[in-house]
Amino acid sequence: MDSVSQLVLGASVGMAVMGRKAPLWKSALVGGFCGTLPDLDVFLDHGDAIRNMTLHRTESHALVWLTLLSPLLAWLLAGVVKQRFQWIQWWPAVWLALITHPLLDLMTVYGTQLGLPFTDYPWAIGSIYIVDPLYTLSLIICLIVALWRREPRWSRAGLTLSTGYLLWSMAAQGIALYQVAPQVAHQLDVKSHLLVTPTAFNTLVWRVVAVTPEHYYEGYWSLLAPHRPLQLSMHDRGAALYQQLKGDAHVERVAWFSHGFFAMQQRDGKLFISDLRMGEAPDFTFTFDLGAPQARNPHPSRLASSRPSLTQTWRHFRQRL
């Protein structure tokens, strides 16, 4: 999720766990710091854009490493807020603020390697968009009220509301998948790999992506018009290019990290590979320049992409009513 959501989630967890054992502003400060800490790995440069994407949300998001770090971090932070004699009481708050970060990231489609060091599988539920105001606003409002009223139960109310919204997102995703899977199977003459994930800022309009060996298909389905037939647009996946470059470290890394939801193309004398899970055709959030076929770029770069806007989201709503 976005950094604001992680900050207020951590602050809410810190206040909810510590209660009146510490001043609320201190527990909010410590919780917010711990909720933000795992994402500081974005400042690490791993050598190229593909490695930077696939090595984000790794060790810093691993539940085992965060659990092992939590007692030392609790001791240090308790000293910072001048309550070191209470560091054992700070420990659960610090631990929960740390691990709720990757657990929230798990709900997005990006991929979080929270099982390290036992597995590097990039887990992703994909039921909530990386920025969703309905999730974050409940936390922000209740956090402000808790600090204003000096009453930690408001932070617990915020956590209850936001967690309920996450549960709703999974239920909505399940409904969307149940509705679109038969339609996709009916429209395609070959077996496909299916992804259903929300469009920007909401859990009402869902983006549907189906991949076959040769093509990928994209469409949209809305809870506001559940009986409207799904319309899929077909796009080439660049299967021939993938066969030529099969075994290439950069190509295989994107294929692995995207769970097979990727496409390749060649234009202007260069090769490109895109992660199909984020963005929408033809403008995907993660598209990488691999260089010319005969002079491959050893350090692939990421192409700039446009960010989803409220106008785009509103267009999706209107088209699916």
Side-chain angles (χ1 to χ4, degrees), residues 250-317:
H250 292 123
V251 172
E252 293 299 338
R253 193 156 187 85
V254 173
W256 160 75
F257 190 72
S258 67
H259 303 287
F261 287 92
F262 70 95
M264 299 189 67
Q265 60 177 306
Q266 181 174 349
R267 65 175 188 270
D268 302 326
K270 292 184 177 182
L271 297 170
F272 300 91
I273 187 167
S274 299
D275 186 328
L276 303 177
R277 299 172 303 158
M278 292 161 277
E280 59 183 61
D283 187 26
F284 296 103
T285 305
F286 292 99
T287 295
F288 302 97
D289 180 354
L290 300 176
Q294 305 304 322
R296 296 290 311 287
N297 183 1
H299 304 289
S301 58
R302 177 184 167 189
L303 271 61
S305 62
S306 62
R307 294 184 178 182
S309 64
L310 291 175
T311 301
Q312 184 183 50
T313 302
W314 177 243
R315 186 179 75 247
H316 284 315
F317 271 106

Side-chain angles (χ1 to χ4, degrees), residues 52 84-85 95 105 223 266:
N52 287 343
R84 182 155 290 165
F85 65 94
W95 176 69
D105 280 344
L223 281 165
Q266 181 174 349

Side-chain angles (χ1 to χ4, degrees), residues 129-194:
Y129 191 72
I130 194 170
V131 179
D132 193 317
L134 287 182
Y135 174 83
T136 310
L137 282 175
S138 61
L139 287 172
I140 292 176
I141 292 170
C142 290
L143 182 64
I144 292 173
V145 174
L147 290 170
W148 174 47
R149 300 289 298 272
R150 299 181 183 179
E151 179 52 70
R153 64 186 177 88
W154 282 99
S155 62
R156 300 185 189 109
L159 290 170
T160 300
L161 290 171
S162 60
T163 302
Y165 185 71
L166 291 178
L167 294 174
W168 152 252
S169 75
M170 290 190 287
Q173 183 185 42
I175 295 170
L177 182 61
Y178 177 79
Q179 292 289 335
V180 303
Q183 298 186 61
V184 171
H186 178 73
Q187 293 184 42
L188 305 185
D189 56 0
V190 294
K191 187 176 180 180
S192 65
H193 192 190
L194 185 61

Side-chain angles (χ1 to χ4, degrees), residues 48-69:
D48 63 69
I50 290 178
R51 288 181 61 82
N52 287 343
M53 178 187 75
T54 58
L55 292 177
H56 174 45
R57 298 189 184 180
T58 51
E59 283 81 4
S60 68
H61 288 61
L63 299 181
V64 169
W65 298 134
L66 291 176
T67 298
L68 294 176
L69 173 66

